[in-house]
Amino acid sequence: MSKMQQTTIAVPIRKRQRNVLQETNMSPRSHLYSLPPCNVETIWRESLTGYINRLARTHHISPRDLVAQEILPRLGDGFSLSPPRLALLGAQGMSLNGSGDLARAWTGVLERLTAQTDLHLLTLRWWIGDLSPRRQLREAPAWCPSCLSGWREKGDIIYQPLFWMFQIVMICPRHQNFLVDRCSSCQKKPTIITTNKTEPGECTHCKAWLGAEVYDRTRQAQDDTLISWQSWVMNALEELHTASLITDVLQWEPFFRHLARCLKEEKAYSKLARLTGISRENLHQWVSEDDVYTPTLEAICRFCYVCDMTPLQVMRGQLAGLQQTIQNGTAVHPPRPRRSHRYVDQEQCQAFLQAILDGREEPLGVYQAARRLGYAEARQLRYHFPQECAEITQRAKAYRKQRKEQRLAQVREEVRRAMLSLHAQGIYPSQRQLRSLLPGGFMLQPAAKEAWYATLHELGFEPRNVCHTHVGPAPISS
Ligand SMILES: [Zn+2]
Ligand SMILES: [Zn+2]
């Protein structure tokens, strides 16, 4: 950590450039609302897909409609998606935050439409540079429930930072919570570019709030080695972020060139393979000029962590940490296990599963329990604790059912309350009237329609005959 802090970088140049750009861009009108992206100067920088969702909301249309009407027609033939293929955007969507041609094409169009000149910074390329985008981003967005709740409480903008999408980031640097990627109500992964008009921080499938209902310390990571690794990763990411702000797209060629130089030392390959857990063959591939294979940022960080030197230091030829590690044959930090081969701490798992069964922990499903314990998959838990996992699954199902019923009761109650209020004002509580009072899409829910019929009946109306009539002292148009 101390070595990382020694890498000093001057930051504020870009800030001045931005202000000038924004001032000179005052006169030409943008086609879409000129929405500024969030926190481009810090590691809390917004993601491009999160920006698209927010932009659509400011125009009161669904993000998919914004994409279909404003972005797709302006892309070149190679990057367009025909309307039936729009449905695929869910799977492809994450690459918009990546480093490929698709991300560049979309960014260009959005910068022209909004007259915001910094939107390219919302993609991976302008953070981790020209490293291959392969396996860098998650398949679905993740989030920190405590961050969402904190922003809502303070009335801040609720948005999706880019680093939440990085596979390497597992823990929120602010709250030490595990990031989550499934809605706790419907267990689905939210879509990236949403189809409907969900509010920020809501599940794109069931509209449940994705934030933490109460601040919950049990969501925090407890494993000190994991916390230390993740805090090291965030520092390394911050360093790359700052460097790319003042230079340009970061180039990784010097990183591999410098690494190759150190690896030439006697027995360096075998020593480093032993210390880092990365095979000799892979290390050869990393530095081979004939091989186009490039490792993921996670693999690079796992390697650098053992020597306690950051990727940026290696890029800049500051190789003392690496040389020292090779010389001494000892690691500064213990190697991080590869996720798929992660050692399972059976005692810790057993205690956590038991806490769920005893009701001391919230009734998580097996997948969520695995994530909370720091495992990427539930496979290991199911293998080691089949009985506990079966019971936990049963309970989680029952809990979800109960939560669903509560939510439906709330929908019915909101419809009834709105109808009684309209009726008290002498206005016929038509569905059209209700649509203007309730959030978009609310009345499409079967429970809302059901409540509408029931309340009409309660108020003494017959829906079929009175759809266009009014009650109260004077006719009021609906
Ligand atoms: Zn957080
Ligand atoms: Zn949901």
Side-chain angles (χ1 to χ4, degrees):
M1 190 79 64
S2 56
K3 279 175 196 150
M4 265 186 292
Q5 283 156 358
Q6 284 164 16
T7 313
T8 50
I9 295 157
V11 188
I13 300 166
R14 180 152 204 111
K15 201 161 199 164
R16 280 203 301 279
Q17 286 175 344
R18 282 190 69 219
N19 292 339
V20 172
L21 284 170
Q22 281 172 354
E23 279 158 27
T24 52
N25 277 357
M26 290 291 276
S27 47
R29 285 220 182 142
S30 53
H31 179 72
L32 295 179
Y33 179 61
S34 190
L35 182 73
C38 294
N39 292 324
V40 280
E41 311 287 347
T42 77
I43 55 158
W44 290 88
R45 167 186 289 185
E46 189 166 22
S47 58
L48 188 70
T49 49
Y51 179 82
I52 294 171
N53 288 329
R54 248 178 5 98
L55 183 64
R57 283 185 198 111
T58 60
H59 285 273
H60 303 286
I61 59 170
S62 87
R64 288 278 171 109
D65 287 345
L66 178 91
V67 167
Q69 289 162 26
E70 301 294 344
I71 302 177
L72 294 186
R74 290 176 172 83
L75 290 166
D77 290 343
F79 304 113
S80 201
L81 296 165
S82 56
R85 289 188 63 206
L86 256 180
L88 290 174
L89 198 53
Q92 279 193 3
M94 194 53 91
S95 57
L96 297 174
N97 296 316
S99 338
D101 293 340
L102 189 72
R104 260 178 277 181
W106 281 55
T107 308
V109 169
L110 276 161
E111 287 188 341
R112 284 199 298 282
L113 287 172
T114 59
Q116 285 289 331
T117 53
D118 273 350
L119 300 185
H120 57 284
L121 297 177
L122 311 187
T123 60
L124 192 67
R125 184 175 168 78
W126 288 85
W127 189 326
I128 69 160
D130 67 351
L131 199 64
S132 159
R134 198 178 57 95
R135 290 191 289 138
Q136 311 287 16
L137 295 172
R138 295 164 180 269
E139 283 172 11
W143 64 94
C144 164
S146 299
C147 279
L148 293 182
S149 295
W151 291 333
R152 186 162 77 167
E153 269 165 37
K154 283 191 266 167
D156 289 346
I157 296 171
I158 296 173
Y159 73 105
Q160 295 169 298
L162 182 56
F163 76 81
W164 283 359
M165 316 291 176
F166 290 3
Q167 284 203 19
I168 193 173
V169 179
M170 297 167 73
I171 291 177
C172 168
R174 199 168 274 159
H175 299 100
Q176 259 77 55
N177 283 349
F178 282 108
L179 300 183
V180 292
D181 63 0
R182 276 175 203 264
C183 162
S184 61
S185 294
C186 68
Q187 298 302 305
K188 290 182 185 160
K189 293 185 176 187
T191 43
I192 300 165
I193 302 285
T194 64
T195 41
N196 48 12
K197 295 187 197 168
T198 43
E199 293 299 312
E202 285 182 354
C203 170
T204 57
H205 301 287
C206 72
K207 286 175 148 270
W209 170 241
L210 297 174
E213 277 157 27
V214 281
Y215 184 66
D216 182 358
R217 294 189 76 82
T218 61
R219 285 173 188 271
Q220 287 188 330
Q222 306 293 333
D223 176 350
D224 288 341
T225 55
L226 179 69
I227 293 170
S228 140
W229 155 244
Q230 284 286 295
S231 112
W232 188 93
V233 164
M234 283 316 297
N235 276 304
L237 282 174
E238 185 161 17
E239 223 182 54
L240 293 173
H241 175 276
T242 312
S244 72
L245 262 181
I246 36 170
T247 52
D248 202 337
V249 173
L250 289 176
Q251 308 291 314
W252 282 83
E253 186 275 330
F255 176 95
F256 295 108
R257 184 160 32 89
H258 292 143
L259 191 62
R261 209 173 68 208
C262 288
L263 285 168
K264 277 189 187 139
E265 286 180 33
E266 206 189 341
K267 294 189 179 165
Y269 280 101
S270 48
K271 277 187 195 169
L272 286 170
R274 177 174 55 80
L275 294 175
T276 61
I278 297 166
S279 71
R280 280 171 59 109
E281 293 70 34
N282 273 351
L283 291 177
H284 272 288
Q285 278 182 319
W286 286 18
V287 295
S288 160
E289 282 176 13
D290 312 323
D291 212 321
V292 286
Y293 173 85
T294 52
T296 60
L297 182 66
E298 180 160 348
I300 290 175
C301 283
R302 277 175 40 224
F303 177 87
C304 290
Y305 182 63
V306 165
C307 315
D308 196 25
M309 68 191 173
T310 62
L312 193 70
Q313 286 172 329
V314 183
M315 263 183 214
R316 293 184 168 171
Q318 298 162 7
L319 304 166
L322 180 55
Q323 283 156 346
Q324 197 82 43
T325 307
I326 296 172
Q327 231 166 42
N328 300 346
T330 50
V332 181
H333 294 291
R336 292 300 307 165
R338 287 175 68 171
R339 284 192 203 202
S340 49
H341 300 128
R342 175 106 194 261
Y343 162 76
V344 174
D345 182 339
Q346 295 210 23
E347 212 169 297
Q348 183 200 18
C349 291
Q350 171 98 58
F352 189 68
L353 297 179
Q354 199 53 52
I356 296 175
L357 291 173
D358 296 346
R360 285 177 282 122
E361 284 282 348
E362 59 180 314
L364 302 169
V366 176
Y367 176 79
Q368 287 171 310
R371 293 292 295 182
R372 191 74 71 80
L373 285 160
Y375 303 103
E377 295 168 0
R379 206 158 31 98
Q380 295 108 318
L381 281 191
R382 290 207 175 91
Y383 175 78
H384 291 287
F385 308 100
Q387 208 175 330
E388 285 89 345
C389 286
E391 207 172 319
I392 278 176
T393 305
Q394 284 290 328
R395 292 201 190 189
K397 263 189 198 160
Y399 177 68
R400 283 203 298 276
K401 197 173 163 208
Q402 186 195 351
R403 286 278 298 263
K404 190 175 172 189
E405 275 159 15
Q406 281 170 351
R407 209 172 54 248
L408 292 180
Q410 203 179 337
V411 167
R412 289 189 201 103
E413 182 50 34
E414 273 189 56
V415 170
R416 186 172 176 274
R417 210 181 308 140
M419 288 177 77
L420 294 181
S421 154
L422 286 170
H423 184 254
Q425 297 167 56
I427 303 169
Y428 174 66
S430 66
Q431 289 198 30
R432 197 169 141 199
Q433 286 287 354
L434 288 177
R435 275 197 291 272
S436 63
L437 289 179
L438 297 167
F442 197 90
M443 286 308 294
L444 295 174
Q445 302 175 82
K449 286 219 170 104
E450 207 180 277
W452 181 70
Y453 280 110
T455 314
L456 277 188
H457 188 72
E458 185 190 329
L459 292 171
F461 291 113
E462 280 299 328
R464 270 169 309 184
N465 304 329
V466 292
C467 279
H468 301 289
T469 59
H470 309 285
V471 291
I476 303 164
S477 82
S478 55

